[in-house]
Amino acid sequence: MSSTKNRRKVAPSAADSGDSADKLDQLLLSSAICNGEDLAPFVRKAFASGKPETLLHHLRAFSKSKESEIEEVCKAHYQDFILAVDDLRSLLSDVDSLKSALYDSNSKLQSVGLPLLSSLDAFVEARTVSRNLNLALDSVRACVNTIELCSRANKHLEEGNFYMALKCLDSIDNEYLEKTPSSTLKRMLEKNIPDIRSYIERKVSKEFGDWLVDIRAVSRTLGQLAISQASSARQREEDLRIKQRQAEEQSRLSLRDCVYVLEEEDEDGLGVVGDDAKDLYSNGGGGLLGFDLTPLYRAYHIHQTLGLEDRFKQYYFENRKLQLTSDFQVSSMTPFLESHQTFFAQIAGFFIVEDRIFRTSGGLISKMEVENLWETAMGKMCSVLEDQFSRMQTANHLLLIKDYVSLLGVTLRRYWYPVEPLLDVLSKHRDKYHELLISDCRKQITEALSADKFEQMLMKKEYEYSMNVLSFQLQVSDIVPAFPFVAPFSSTVPDCCRIVRSFIEDSVSFMSYGGQLDFYDVVKKYLDRLLSEVLDGALLKLISTSVHGVSQAMQVAANMAVFERACDFFFRHAAQLSGIPLRMAERGRRQFPLSKARDAAEETLSGLLKTKVDGFMMLIENVNWTPDEPLQNGNEYVNEVIIYLETLVSTAQQILPVQVLKRVLHDVLSHISVMIVGALQADSVKRFNVNAVMGIDVDIKLLEGFVDSQAPIFADEDINQLKAALSEARQMINLLLSSHPENFLNAVIRERSYYSLDHKKVVTISEKLKDSSDRLFGTFGTRTMKQNPKKKSLDTLIKRLRDVS
């Protein structure tokens, strides 16, 4: 059948349109209709022009023009239909031929295929039987494997090998349970597998609970051992420091040429942290303490296998936190001094265990959780220390606890736990400790001083000399004396030195290992307080209340000189214990801290000697103030004074240092000088003559001769200073014997020769001097009498001095 022709759009012919408007409108209308355009413009135009009939006419004309085309199309389609019918008829004949051929072929196929179909049915039946047999064998095999796993799991359960039992259960659950063909076996497994897992969980939980109980006792012992090993390490360090100080001291004193080698021993035990510290604990329980983490790790591993890892972590953390909280309990029935070691050792052992678990458990406890536990423990320990320190009133108790806390800090710092808050608490109570220590030393010093017999100390053996002299560096010579040896000091000095040395060592012990490296200034500050407030005050009290005789005062003054050397030793000892070079300590030395007691002792000795001298100076009342001739051998009083002074010096030089003796003797001579001038000035002496003045001059010369006789003891400068003590009496006598006394009015001469004289004393004494005619120079006698030049000069001096005053 031929295909139909495509429909085409036919435009109205331009030949029919002509030139008229109607033809044009008709053409445009036809074109619009053919193109499917909107005809609304044509309708509006027709009605607008009032000619709708024209539009209708055009439309009818267009309709007629299309009828002929439709007819031509129908004719063309009819011809195609006729051709198609012819083709169908020819096809029908071909179909009949094909049907006959197919029938023949089917008959042949049926005759050939029937035997083959019978064979195929037999094959299918045999294959089905084979498949059923294989399925049965697979099912039996699966049941056998499942039962074998069940048997293996039971064996592991009997042996306590829970992890392998769980692996068997997981294998059954994941690989065999769904494939098990036996519904009975499957139901049995579905029921028993959860029960077995629950049984394993209960079993390992019980083991873990037992481990929690055991680990508390183990932690306490572990903490005690760790702290004791830290103490041993510290003691070794102290021994090395002592050897070093001895070497430095011997080198400083140049006693002998030696080479010192300080061998440092290797630290063991807790000096090593990490996996190398296997001598303290081990995972397998073979450690020094039988410290076994196996139950914990086993429980953790089993819970991981059960899928309960997070729950076990939480359970472990909560239980350990409760244990730590119970460790914080401080018994009110037991003194903290007795229980503090157990208290801190328990906490130390707890965190040593936690550190080991954190590093080896594979995530059982996190670093943040360990830090939270440590912060809790640190806060509690600080509060306990604050409370207990506030109650203690004994320095030794504070020191014992402080030492143990510092060892705790050293131990835990090795495991990287921050211990600064604990050290801050110790530093906070530094002042209280030293106040208590000073109070204890005050009592001891008071007892030592009250037992003083003011007698020189006798040492019969060398060890006594070493213990009482060399140990405090009180010796003035490196030569060991012969024994028995009588020391220049009394037994009070070494007793007080031992107290002060103990104070220094206790102070350094408290300040050591407290987080502050340079603490010498702190120790020095409290040592200054002990010496300047306590020891100095006690000595002042002793001097004011118990010293009544010259021998006692001399012994105390001798003790003070020895104390001056001892104080140098105290500060050097404090510097050595504090690890400060001696040159730095000596550079920052201050004045003698016992200066008040020293001055009081010397003043007391001087006062007692002056009192003794006053007794001899009372003989000055027997002096003849108007003799006819001057005495050649001095007055009686001065001879007695010189005898006493010679006896005093011979005794005092045995125990008093030269400078102390010089100061005391200087005060006594100054007092004698004042007494001589005072005798001349006294109201009891109405007048005296030149002979009496010359006799006093002899007395002063005898005293000066006594000073010169001490040259083997004193240096030349000291001799001149002792002579200067007699300057007032010497200058007064020189002025009275001078040929030109008016020179006193010359400022230059007075500053050179009469600097010790007072104007009023000069006037008073000069007025008492009479001339050879028994006339007083100070009475301004009659002008008719001829005066000698000296008297006239002296009168002028007196008048001028009165005008000045």
Side-chain angles (χ1 to χ4, degrees):
M1 189 174 193
S2 63
S3 61
T4 60
K5 296 180 181 179
N6 291 334
R7 302 180 66 181
R8 58 187 178 84
K9 296 180 182 178
V10 180
S13 174
D16 296 336
S17 63
D19 296 330
S20 65
D22 289 340
K23 290 293 186 181
L24 181 59
D25 290 340
Q26 185 177 358
L27 180 60
L28 292 174
L29 180 62
S30 300
S31 177
I33 292 172
C34 290
N35 294 326
E37 296 178 0
D38 188 11
L39 301 180
F42 295 96
V43 175
R44 284 194 298 269
K45 181 179 180 182
F47 280 96
S49 61
K51 297 178 180 180
E53 294 82 2
T54 304
L55 178 61
L56 291 174
H57 176 71
H58 290 167
L59 290 175
R60 291 189 188 100
F62 179 77
S63 175
K64 289 179 180 181
S65 65
K66 291 300 180 179
E67 288 179 357
S68 60
E69 290 184 9
I70 292 171
E71 185 177 355
E72 290 177 2
V73 172
C74 289
K75 287 179 180 181
H77 287 176
Y78 177 74
Q79 292 174 359
D80 293 338
F81 178 72
I82 295 300
L83 292 174
V85 171
D86 291 340
D87 291 337
L88 285 175
R89 286 178 177 175
S90 61
L91 180 61
L92 182 60
S93 61
D94 292 337
V95 168
D96 289 337
S97 300
L98 180 60
K99 181 178 179 182
S100 299
L102 287 174
Y103 182 78
D104 294 337
S105 297
N106 182 51
S107 299
K108 293 178 181 180
L109 180 62
Q110 288 291 335
S111 61
V112 174
L114 285 174
L116 292 176
L117 287 175
S118 299
S119 300
L120 180 62
D121 290 339
F123 169 74
V124 170
E125 183 179 357
R127 189 176 64 178
T128 301
V129 172
S130 177
R131 286 178 178 177
N132 290 337
L133 289 175
N134 289 335
L135 182 59
L137 291 174
D138 291 341
S139 298
V140 171
R141 192 178 295 111
C143 291
V144 170
N145 291 337
T146 303
I147 292 173
E148 286 180 355
L149 279 177
C150 291
S151 176
R152 198 179 305 164
N154 287 332
K155 183 177 180 181
H156 289 316
L157 286 173
E158 290 175 359
E159 295 174 354
N161 193 354
F162 298 137
Y163 174 72
M164 294 306 298
L166 285 176
K167 296 303 289 184
C168 290
L169 294 178
D170 289 343
S171 180
I172 294 171
D173 197 6
N174 297 329
E175 299 178 13
Y176 293 97
L177 185 60
E178 295 298 329
K179 301 176 182 179
T180 299
S182 173
S183 60
T184 303
L185 180 59
K186 186 174 183 181
R187 285 194 303 271
M188 183 272 292
L189 293 175
E190 289 176 347
K191 177 183 177 182
N192 290 334
I193 286 177
D195 293 341
I196 295 173
R197 285 175 173 167
S198 299
Y199 168 78
I200 293 174
E201 181 183 359
R202 289 194 304 271
K203 198 72 175 175
V204 296
S205 295
K206 183 180 181 303
E207 292 179 0
F208 172 67
D210 295 338
W211 178 86
L212 285 176
V213 174
D214 294 339
I215 199 63
R216 292 197 66 185
V218 173
S219 296
R220 184 184 304 112
T221 308
L222 177 63
Q224 291 172 343
L225 178 61
I227 294 175
S228 67
Q229 292 192 351
S231 178
S232 300
R234 177 180 294 183
Q235 186 60 46
R236 288 194 296 272
E237 292 176 1
E238 289 295 333
D239 293 341
L240 287 174
R241 289 196 187 98
I242 291 173
K243 293 179 182 178
Q244 179 68 36
R245 286 197 296 269
Q246 291 175 347
E248 290 176 354
E249 185 64 21
Q250 290 176 347
S251 175
R252 187 177 69 87
L253 297 176
S254 299
L255 296 180
R256 60 180 68 90
D257 295 331
C258 295
V259 177
Y260 298 92
V261 179
L262 302 180
E263 297 181 357
E264 187 170 350
E265 300 178 2
D266 293 334
E267 295 185 6
D268 54 1
L270 286 180
V272 184
V273 297
D275 295 333
D276 296 332
K278 295 180 180 179
D279 56 337
L280 289 179
Y281 47 75
S282 68
N283 292 343
L288 184 62
L289 298 175
F291 178 28
D292 190 5
L293 294 177
T294 302
L296 171 65
Y297 294 161
R298 183 181 187 185
Y300 180 46
H301 195 194
I302 294 301
H303 281 82
Q304 282 181 318
T305 307
L306 292 172
L308 304 175
E309 178 180 0
D310 293 338
R311 191 176 79 177
F312 182 76
K313 286 182 179 179
Q314 184 67 23
Y315 178 72
Y316 170 80
F317 181 75
E318 293 297 332
N319 276 273
R320 290 294 280 167
K321 188 174 181 180
L322 288 174
Q323 283 189 341
L324 181 61
T325 303
S326 65
D327 292 341
F328 292 152
Q329 303 301 320
V330 178
S331 175
S332 59
M333 304 300 294
T334 305
F336 189 69
L337 184 65
E338 299 178 7
S339 62
H340 74 279
Q341 293 189 2
T342 303
F343 175 78
F344 290 117
Q346 185 73 55
I347 295 176
F350 178 93
F351 283 100
I352 291 174
V353 171
E354 286 304 310
D355 175 76
R356 181 67 173 181
I357 293 172
F358 167 69
R359 290 184 292 106
T360 60
S361 65
L364 173 57
I365 187 169
S366 66
K367 183 178 181 180
M368 183 176 294
E369 288 174 330
V370 176
E371 290 176 352
N372 290 336
L373 290 174
W374 176 246
E375 290 177 1
T376 303
M378 180 58 67
K380 184 62 178 179
M381 286 190 291
C382 290
S383 65
V384 169
L385 280 179
E386 290 276 3
D387 179 61
Q388 295 297 330
F389 278 176
S390 64
R391 299 180 184 181
M392 291 184 181
Q393 298 301 322
T394 304
N396 190 43
H397 294 176
L398 265 75
L399 181 59
L400 289 174
I401 295 176
K402 178 267 167 188
D403 285 343
Y404 204 80
V405 171
S406 65
L407 289 173
L408 171 72
V410 171
T411 301
L412 292 179
R413 189 184 282 121
R414 291 173 174 172
Y415 297 90
W416 307 108
Y417 290 108
V419 296
E420 286 73 17
L422 273 179
L423 303 181
D424 292 341
V425 173
L426 299 180
S427 299
K428 182 179 178 181
H429 290 82
R430 179 183 68 194
D431 292 338
K432 178 177 180 179
Y433 168 76
H434 282 93
E435 291 296 335
L436 293 175
L437 188 60
I438 289 174
S439 178
D440 292 343
C441 291
R442 180 180 284 108
K443 296 176 183 177
Q444 297 173 17
I445 289 173
T446 302
E447 293 174 358
L449 293 179
S450 63
D452 191 9
K453 297 180 180 180
F454 303 102
E455 297 176 354
Q456 291 178 257
M457 191 173 183
L458 176 63
M459 303 176 197
K460 298 181 180 180
K461 301 293 183 180
E462 185 175 354
Y463 79 89
E464 296 179 357
Y465 180 79
S466 176
M467 180 175 62
N468 295 305
V469 178
L470 296 180
S471 60
F472 305 113
Q473 299 178 9
L474 303 180
Q475 71 275 12
V476 294
S477 173
D478 294 333
I479 301 175
V480 178
F483 296 97
F485 170 71
V486 179
F489 51 83
S490 65
S491 60
T492 295
V493 173
D495 290 342
C496 291
C497 287
R498 272 186 279 273
I499 295 171
V500 176
R501 183 178 63 184
S502 176
F503 173 88
I504 294 171
E505 292 170 353
D506 288 344
S507 177
V508 171
S509 178
F510 190 89
M511 296 302 301
S512 300
Y513 309 103
Q516 184 176 354
L517 298 178
D518 184 8
F519 51 82
Y520 171 70
D521 290 338
V522 178
V523 175
K524 180 174 176 292
K525 179 184 76 171
Y526 291 113
L527 178 59
D528 280 336
R529 280 194 56 192
L530 177 70
L531 296 175
S532 60
E533 295 180 12
V534 178
L535 183 56
D536 196 37
L539 289 170
L540 284 173
K541 184 177 180 181
L542 174 73
I543 293 168
S544 62
T545 58
S546 301
V547 177
H548 304 295
V550 173
S551 61
Q552 292 179 341
M554 192 176 296
Q555 187 61 66
V556 173
N559 290 349
M560 295 309 304
V562 178
F563 271 129
E564 193 161 356
R565 293 197 298 274
C567 286
D568 294 338
F569 162 75
F570 295 149
F571 288 102
R572 288 197 303 270
H573 189 55
Q576 287 179 334
L577 294 180
S578 302
I580 299 297
L582 291 179
R583 61 181 181 277
M584 296 181 62
E586 292 175 355
R587 192 183 309 146
R589 285 174 55 186
R590 50 164 290 176
Q591 63 179 357
F592 181 44
L594 305 179
S595 57
K596 293 180 180 179
R598 178 192 61 191
D599 296 343
E602 294 180 6
E603 184 179 347
T604 301
L605 177 58
S606 298
L608 292 172
L609 292 175
K610 291 174 186 177
T611 302
K612 285 285 187 179
V613 168
D614 287 345
F616 300 113
M617 290 298 293
M618 290 179 65
L619 297 175
I620 202 171
E621 297 176 357
N622 300 330
V623 173
N624 183 4
W625 295 106
T626 57
D628 295 334
E629 294 181 358
L631 293 176
Q632 300 300 321
N633 297 323
N635 291 290
E636 179 184 6
Y637 77 90
V638 77
N639 291 319
E640 295 293 334
V641 168
I642 290 175
I643 293 173
Y644 178 72
L645 291 179
E646 289 175 345
T647 304
L648 170 68
V649 171
S650 65
T651 303
Q653 68 179 346
Q654 303 298 323
I655 61 174
L656 287 181
V658 173
Q659 292 303 313
V660 176
L661 179 59
K662 185 202 77 172
R663 289 195 294 267
V664 172
L665 194 57
H666 186 278
D667 286 349
V668 174
L669 293 173
S670 296
H671 179 70
I672 293 173
S673 176
V674 171
M675 290 290 291
I676 292 174
V677 175
L680 294 172
Q681 189 182 5
D683 294 338
S684 60
V685 179
K686 302 299 181 181
R687 61 180 180 172
F688 54 85
N689 59 20
V690 174
N691 292 333
V693 174
M694 294 176 65
I696 298 298
D697 180 56
V698 172
D699 294 343
I700 296 174
K701 287 180 179 179
L702 290 174
L703 291 172
E704 292 173 342
F706 162 75
V707 172
D708 290 331
S709 68
Q710 306 304 317
I713 302 175
F714 302 106
D716 293 340
E717 183 180 357
D718 295 336
I719 294 293
N720 293 332
Q721 291 179 4
L722 290 174
K723 285 184 177 180
L726 299 168
S727 61
E728 185 179 13
R730 166 51 60 200
Q731 292 173 15
M732 181 63 72
I733 296 303
N734 289 343
L735 179 63
L736 294 176
L737 296 177
S738 174
S739 300
H740 301 283
E742 72 278 4
N743 288 341
F744 183 77
L745 299 174
N746 188 313
V748 176
I749 297 176
R750 184 172 65 249
E751 185 66 26
R752 184 180 67 244
S753 303
Y754 305 110
Y755 54 85
S756 298
L757 298 182
D758 179 70
H759 292 180
K760 293 182 180 180
K761 290 183 180 181
V762 171
V763 172
T764 302
I765 294 173
S766 297
E767 287 178 340
K768 297 182 180 183
L769 180 63
K770 69 175 184 175
D771 62 7
S772 59
S773 61
D774 289 339
R775 289 229 177 142
L776 297 177
F777 285 96
T779 58
F780 297 97
T782 60
R783 302 189 176 206
T784 57
M785 296 187 66
K786 185 178 180 180
Q787 296 178 340
N788 61 42
K790 179 178 179 181
K791 176 183 180 300
K792 184 177 180 180
S793 176
L794 192 58
D795 290 342
T796 302
L797 171 63
I798 294 171
K799 184 178 179 181
R800 292 283 299 276
L801 290 177
R802 282 178 174 173
D803 292 340
V804 172
S805 59

